[in-house]
Amino acid sequence: MAQTTKYNMVKEKITDWITSGKVQPGEKIYSENELGKMFGVSRHTIRQALGDLVHEGWLYREQGAGTFVSHQQIPSTQMALSHSQLPLNKTKNIGVITTYISDYIFPSIIKGIESYLTDRGYSLTFACTDNDIKKEKQCLQTMLNRNIDGLIIEPTKTNVFNPNMKFYLELEQNKIPYLMINQFYPQLSPPHLVVDDEYGGFISTEHLIKLGHKKIIGLFKSDDLQGINRMKGFIQAYKAYSIPFFPEMLINYSTENQVEFPMERLAETFKTDNRPTAIICYNDQLAIQVIQYLRSIHLSIPDDIAIIGYDDSFLAEASEVKLTSVSHPKMDMGLDAAKWIVNAVEEKGTLPLSYVYKPNLVLRNSTGPYPKTL
């Protein structure tokens, strides 16, 4: 049976379960492993079919809990709603707030959002917070004053108290749909698209452990949940492989001291006899800084020390050291966010509350084989 036929067969069977009432709204469906055994297909085929059903509104995902049947399905006639049939009070204006706009992975995310929305006649209002809570407040006030129809937002400092909750509640009271990307405020439980950062932290650490490294340092941002979750994965890998902990294994930093503090702390570890053989970085930007520092003390990568980044950004291949990095969906996240917000604005039925992207490790020469001399 061809892959396409298997894929369609899985989708059709699950939708039959839903329409026939075999599985009820809010009920959890079988796991990917169980479905794979049931249908005799690969996990990739199952994941692809479930992903489509989530995007089509049949299913929704809850992080750490599983995949569930949506409470209201999207009728095919409603899916065909033309853009000219928008509710009368809609202006086709979408707000987009990100922590940054013009650098790192954000242009790719924004490109995905913009390409989908502009093709459908929507205008966009952009703003950025620089990961600053006060600036986030200003951005939210601006968006509310501009009578946006929907909002895509990357929240600010998700691991600290945020005093801007009233603006999100105002969005809800005004029935303005909003979607959070990359992370979300747990106290709001909003719709969101996120990467499984704990898994990303785990697989990067596991890779180094399997290469033979036992002294691995992790540099993680502590005011964003992305950093906290990546650190969780790092620690879980240590536990899973029974690798002894050592005092310098974790270096945490915040947005305000992200330029100098982690590098200063890292430099201190290289003045001791307990030097690391590998380093895991919160993102590729930090990894590039670390590479520059390691060169300054005449260490070779990966012969003397291995390094892994996160986000698989353009920086991963920007220098002669090609950086092993955890993937980030970037453009796909932007496209998915745009599709979600359009469906919400055009009132196409109940939408999935969340989607979690499973990352993978993109291997390059910054990890290499474990050095024989260490």
Side-chain angles (χ1 to χ4, degrees):
M1 186 183 292
Q3 180 75 9
T4 303
T5 307
K6 291 180 180 179
Y7 159 73
N8 286 330
M9 178 266 291
V10 173
K11 285 187 64 178
E12 289 171 6
K13 189 64 178 176
I14 293 174
T15 53
D16 283 346
W17 291 346
I18 296 170
T19 54
S20 68
K22 183 177 179 181
V23 285
Q24 297 295 317
E27 186 177 340
K28 184 177 179 179
I29 67 166
Y30 299 104
S31 69
E32 290 179 2
N33 283 336
E34 290 170 330
L35 289 169
K37 290 176 183 177
M38 190 179 298
F39 293 112
V41 300
S42 70
R43 193 169 178 179
H44 172 75
T45 299
I46 295 296
R47 189 176 295 124
Q48 187 180 14
L50 292 179
D52 267 18
L53 291 171
V54 167
H55 289 305
E56 291 168 11
W58 293 97
L59 304 172
Y60 67 92
R61 288 188 171 112
E62 289 189 2
Q63 188 173 12
T67 306
F68 300 80
V69 178
S70 294
H71 288 275
Q72 180 181 340
Q73 308 313 320
I74 303 172
S76 57
T77 53
Q78 198 171 10
M79 287 291 288
L81 180 69
S82 71
H83 304 304
S84 61
Q85 292 175 300
L86 283 170
L88 293 177
N89 62 333
K90 305 297 183 183
T91 61
K92 301 192 79 170
N93 182 27
I94 302 297
V96 179
I97 301 174
T98 53
T99 50
Y100 304 98
I101 287 181
S102 60
D103 60 357
Y104 197 48
I105 64 172
F106 298 99
S108 296
I109 296 173
I110 290 168
K111 184 177 180 181
I113 294 172
E114 192 171 25
S115 63
Y116 187 87
L117 291 178
T118 54
D119 282 350
R120 283 150 186 80
Y122 282 81
S123 60
L124 288 85
T125 301
F126 290 105
C128 78
T129 66
D130 293 323
N131 212 37
D132 180 275
I133 290 172
K134 290 181 180 178
K135 288 185 179 179
E136 183 191 62
K137 177 182 177 181
Q138 295 169 357
C139 291
L140 289 166
Q141 287 174 322
T142 298
M143 294 299 175
L144 286 164
N145 290 337
R146 293 193 178 183
N147 297 317
I148 56 169
D149 296 318
L151 176 66
I152 298 169
I153 181 163
E154 182 189 30
T156 294
K157 292 190 176 181
T158 45
N159 196 44
V160 300
F161 171 73
N162 188 300
N164 297 327
M165 292 299 111
K166 67 172 186 176
F167 296 105
Y168 293 102
L169 295 176
E170 187 174 341
L171 287 167
E172 294 180 12
Q173 289 160 4
N174 292 336
K175 301 193 182 306
I176 299 172
Y178 67 93
L179 174 72
M180 293 190 175
I181 59 173
N182 283 327
Q183 253 312 323
F184 62 96
Y185 296 124
Q187 58 268 48
L188 285 173
S189 299
H192 56 270
L193 305 179
V194 299
V195 176
D196 189 341
D197 285 309
E198 183 172 341
Y199 178 74
F202 181 90
I203 60 174
S204 56
T205 313
E206 179 184 53
H207 178 68
L208 292 171
I209 291 171
K210 287 183 174 180
L211 289 176
H213 293 277
K214 293 184 179 179
K215 290 186 177 179
I216 307 167
I217 281 186
L219 285 71
F220 299 105
K221 200 159 179 279
S222 58
D223 52 0
D224 289 320
L225 283 174
Q226 292 99 310
I228 297 300
N229 290 333
R230 292 168 196 180
M231 181 172 63
K232 282 183 183 177
F234 173 85
I235 294 171
Q236 287 302 317
Y238 259 82
K239 291 170 63 176
Y241 287 88
S242 300
I243 304 297
F245 293 92
F246 62 102
E248 299 84 6
M249 64 178 289
L250 287 173
I251 296 174
N252 292 316
Y253 64 95
S254 65
T255 300
E256 286 71 25
N257 63 16
Q258 62 185 333
V259 176
E260 295 180 356
F261 182 77
M263 304 311 302
E264 290 172 354
R265 285 288 311 278
L266 184 63
E268 290 173 10
T269 67
F270 282 92
K271 295 175 183 176
T272 70
D273 294 331
N274 200 24
R275 293 164 62 150
T277 63
I279 302 171
I280 290 178
C281 298
Y282 168 74
N283 62 17
D284 293 347
Q285 286 178 315
L286 182 58
I288 294 299
Q289 287 181 259
V290 171
I291 288 172
Q292 292 170 348
Y293 166 73
L294 295 174
R295 282 175 173 164
S296 74
I297 59 174
H298 309 293
L299 290 180
S300 174
I301 303 166
D303 296 330
D304 297 323
I305 190 162
I307 182 169
I308 293 182
Y310 205 108
D311 292 328
D312 193 30
S313 69
F314 70 94
L315 294 173
E317 297 191 274
S319 70
E320 62 186 64
V321 175
K322 307 306 178 187
L323 188 62
T324 293
S325 185
V326 179
S327 66
H328 185 289
K330 300 186 241 350
M331 180 84 76
D332 286 343
M333 178 180 280
L335 283 167
D336 291 341
K339 290 175 184 177
W340 192 98
I341 207 71
V342 165
N343 284 346
V345 169
E346 296 180 5
E347 300 178 1
K348 291 183 176 178
T350 300
L351 296 162
L353 293 178
S354 66
Y355 185 83
V356 181
Y357 301 89
K358 207 78 168 178
N360 57 72
L361 194 62
V362 183
L363 298 177
R364 298 189 180 90
N365 66 12
S366 70
T367 43
Y370 184 67
K372 296 177 182 178
T373 56
L374 294 177

